[in-house]
Amino acid sequence: MTTRRIVEPSAAAVAKDAHWAAKMARLRARKLPESTMAICDDEDVKTAVADAALELAKARAAALAECAEQGIRDGQRDTWVASNPHVVAADAALTHAQDALAEATERLTFRALPRPVWEELLREHAPTEAQADKGMEYNVETFPAALISACHVERDTAGADGEGMSVNDAQELLDAWPDQEAKALFTAALVVNQTLRADLGKG
């Protein structure tokens, strides 16, 4: 009868396995890419932000000029400028304008799909024969709304994912918005799935 010999792995092999396990855990924990499309139709609030930013720049330039006149050293200038009453007031005005812009802005967040989900969506919305002859990878009539719906993420006030945009909602926006805005909506959902965060270069 032959006795089977059990060979214990070396300490180096165990350490190597632990190193790989830790790296694999980090790779598994990566979050899918996200992007946000911001929509604001209030031109007044957008102009107010630009004007406030300009006024802040002017206030800082004037404060720096005063620094030079009063002989304030370089190491003290940042603190002196930041505490200048005109700069403080202009900074507060910019913050107020930015808050108003944020309040008037609708944001649509899109998250990339895992590869199997992406491929299944493409299969479900395969191009027609005529579209395939033109080199299209998907049905141009049905895929945009389906992709937008699949990628849209709507977060509640606690930051948790809630119910997102339905296919019907997406199609309604695509049909109701001007051509360029509808294309931008579809592109926002498409591009997030084409984002490459890995560095494939040497080093």
Side-chain angles (χ1 to χ4, degrees), residues 43-66:
E43 294 299 326
D44 290 339
V45 296
K46 289 191 280 188
T47 300
V49 170
D51 291 345
L54 180 59
E55 290 303 315
L56 177 57
K58 289 179 179 178
R60 284 177 174 162
L64 282 171
E66 289 182 27

Side-chain angles (χ1 to χ4, degrees), residues 9-154:
S10 67
V14 172
K16 184 177 180 180
D17 286 344
H19 173 77
W20 172 249
K23 180 178 286 190
M24 192 64 190
R26 292 192 296 270
L27 292 172
R28 289 193 185 102
R30 293 180 76 226
K31 295 182 179 180
L32 293 165
E34 291 187 0
S35 67
T36 299
M37 178 180 182
I39 303 162
C40 179
D41 295 328
D42 192 331
E43 294 299 326
D44 290 339
V45 296
K46 289 191 280 188
T47 300
V49 170
D51 291 345
L54 180 59
E55 290 303 315
L56 177 57
K58 289 179 179 178
R60 284 177 174 162
L64 282 171
E66 289 182 27
C67 285
E69 291 174 1
Q70 298 185 26
I72 296 174
R73 299 171 188 164
D74 289 346
Q76 299 174 326
R77 287 186 179 182
D78 288 345
T79 301
W80 196 90
V81 168
S83 62
N84 181 281
H86 298 293
V87 173
V88 171
D91 190 45
L94 177 58
T95 298
H96 178 73
Q98 289 172 331
D99 289 344
L101 177 61
E103 184 69 23
T105 300
E106 296 294 342
R107 299 183 183 277
L108 296 174
T109 300
F110 298 98
R111 180 185 297 150
L113 302 173
R115 184 183 57 80
V117 179
W118 167 264
E119 292 179 348
E120 178 62 25
L121 197 65
L122 285 175
R123 284 193 293 270
E124 291 175 356
H125 299 275
T128 64
E129 186 175 340
Q131 291 170 351
D133 288 342
K134 295 179 180 179
M136 301 302 298
E137 296 183 75
Y138 49 80
N139 188 308
V140 297
E141 300 297 330
T142 63
F143 182 72
L147 179 65
I148 292 167
S149 174
C151 296
H152 178 243
V153 178
E154 185 68 22

Side-chain angles (χ1 to χ4, degrees), residues 156-197:
D156 60 24
T157 54
D161 290 353
E163 184 176 351
M165 193 185 309
S166 69
V167 175
N168 288 338
D169 289 339
Q171 190 62 59
E172 179 181 344
L173 296 180
L174 289 171
D175 292 341
W177 287 3
D179 182 62
Q180 290 301 313
E181 292 184 357
K183 288 178 179 176
L185 176 61
F186 173 49
T187 299
L190 183 63
V191 168
V192 75
N193 285 283
Q194 299 171 335
T195 299
L196 178 62
R197 296 176 294 178

